[in-house]
Amino acid sequence: SLHVVQPPLALKVESRGDPAAPGIVSFTCPIVKSIPPVELLKEGRIRRVRGVAWTSKVSPQYAPMMIDSCRAVLNPYLADVWVFTDAAKKLPKEARGGYGISLVAETESGALISADGMSEAEASTSSHGVTEPGQLGEEVARALLGEVDCGGVVDRQHQWLAALFMSMAADHKVSTVVFGQELTPYTRAMLRNIRDFMGVAFKFNSQEVEEEVVLDEESDEKEMALSRSVRLRCVGAGLKNVTRRTF
């Protein structure tokens, strides 16, 4: 979504929370007249991974434990992995506490692939259970590898958002985005709603790309890898911001 609106565009976590005590997130976006056609085609190879390991009303040592287990999974594939720590402060009394980790992989073409997970400090009736910090870091790292293996310029949990921007984009040019080989049920339901309520239909094209991958730089060992993905194309509805007379 950051590709379709010009800066300044920012999303900042002011304070973290949990289901019992919600946090604060500030979102800054300029006034937009219309959304330009979306074209995200190049997946590219992963160049780096960045992330945040956060803790809330638990031991600060939980964050390094998550980071160590995460790096143990990712470092054999990529050396440029940095995960920062963020300890929540000044939480209200009703906050139950917890911890989690968010990872974002950036490709050479600028695509962002993400995965995250969290655990509460104590068992409760909510949907989040209790997971050991080391296990949580490993699970999220493997989830990120799964998203990368799936392909596409967006991860599966954000496919619907890319489709929504495509449907609202200007109608003077076709919008095209490459998704992974698997569309989530939520994304498929969103595509049906877009067709029914906005009259925008998508065209699907499966594609396979074979490229050479270096397994060992010292021995120059290589093999051919096959990448499968789905290319979605549509002509947007051309929605415009009619609340502003001038820009």
Side-chain angles (χ1 to χ4, degrees):
S1 60
L2 299 181
H3 292 272
V4 299
V5 179
Q6 297 299 321
L9 184 66
L11 182 67
K12 182 180 180 181
V13 178
E14 301 289 350
S15 63
R16 298 189 181 274
D18 58 29
I24 300 175
V25 177
S26 62
F27 175 66
T28 304
C29 180
I31 298 175
V32 180
K33 181 178 180 180
S34 62
I35 298 176
V38 183
E39 188 172 280
L40 301 174
L41 303 176
K42 297 181 180 179
E43 300 179 41
R45 298 182 180 180
I46 304 299
R47 59 188 295 262
R48 65 180 183 179
V49 174
R50 295 292 182 266
V52 176
W54 59 270
T55 56
S56 171
K57 299 185 72 173
V58 296
S59 171
Q61 296 301 319
Y62 281 18
M65 294 170 64
M66 289 186 287
I67 294 174
D68 290 343
S69 60
C70 166
R71 292 181 64 93
V73 175
L74 297 178
N75 278 146
Y77 304 98
L78 185 69
D80 192 358
V81 178
W82 288 93
V83 183
F84 303 92
T85 60
D86 181 9
K89 301 178 181 179
K90 298 181 180 180
L91 293 174
K93 295 181 179 179
E94 59 269 20
R96 290 194 294 264
Y99 47 91
I101 183 170
S102 300
L103 300 175
V104 179
E106 182 179 346
T107 70
E108 296 173 343
S109 61
L112 302 176
I113 309 297
S114 65
D116 53 42
M118 67 163 290
S119 173
E120 292 190 355
E122 299 178 356
S124 66
T125 57
S126 68
S127 59
H128 297 287
V130 178
T131 307
E132 293 297 325
Q135 180 183 352
L136 181 62
E138 179 181 351
E139 290 178 354
V140 174
R142 295 193 181 280
L144 181 66
L145 293 179
E147 294 293 341
V148 173
D149 181 64
C150 184
V153 297
V154 292
D155 50 70
R156 283 174 286 190
Q157 59 185 334
H158 293 107
Q159 289 175 345
W160 67 272
L161 187 59
L164 181 62
F165 276 113
M166 292 172 66
S167 66
M168 296 189 297
D171 56 2
H172 66 271
K173 184 180 178 182
V174 176
S175 293
T176 308
V177 174
V178 174
F179 285 5
Q181 54 186 317
E182 176 186 346
L183 296 181
T184 64
Y186 191 94
T187 301
R188 293 195 291 266
M190 171 64 76
L191 295 178
R192 296 189 189 100
N193 290 335
I194 290 174
R195 178 197 60 194
D196 296 339
F197 291 95
M198 301 181 65
V200 176
F202 288 79
K203 291 185 178 181
F204 301 80
N205 296 104
S206 299
Q207 60 181 23
E208 295 183 354
V209 178
E210 191 174 24
E211 61 178 351
E212 193 175 60
V213 178
V214 178
L215 299 179
D216 190 349
E217 295 183 355
E218 295 182 358
S219 62
D220 200 25
E221 183 181 357
K222 302 178 181 179
E223 74 172 11
M224 300 304 295
L226 184 64
S227 174
R228 296 183 176 88
S229 57
V230 179
R231 178 175 295 193
L232 269 67
R233 303 171 69 246
C234 76
V235 177
L239 267 63
K240 295 184 178 180
N241 188 348
V242 297
T243 61
R244 297 275 297 189
R245 294 184 178 180
T246 59
F247 285 86

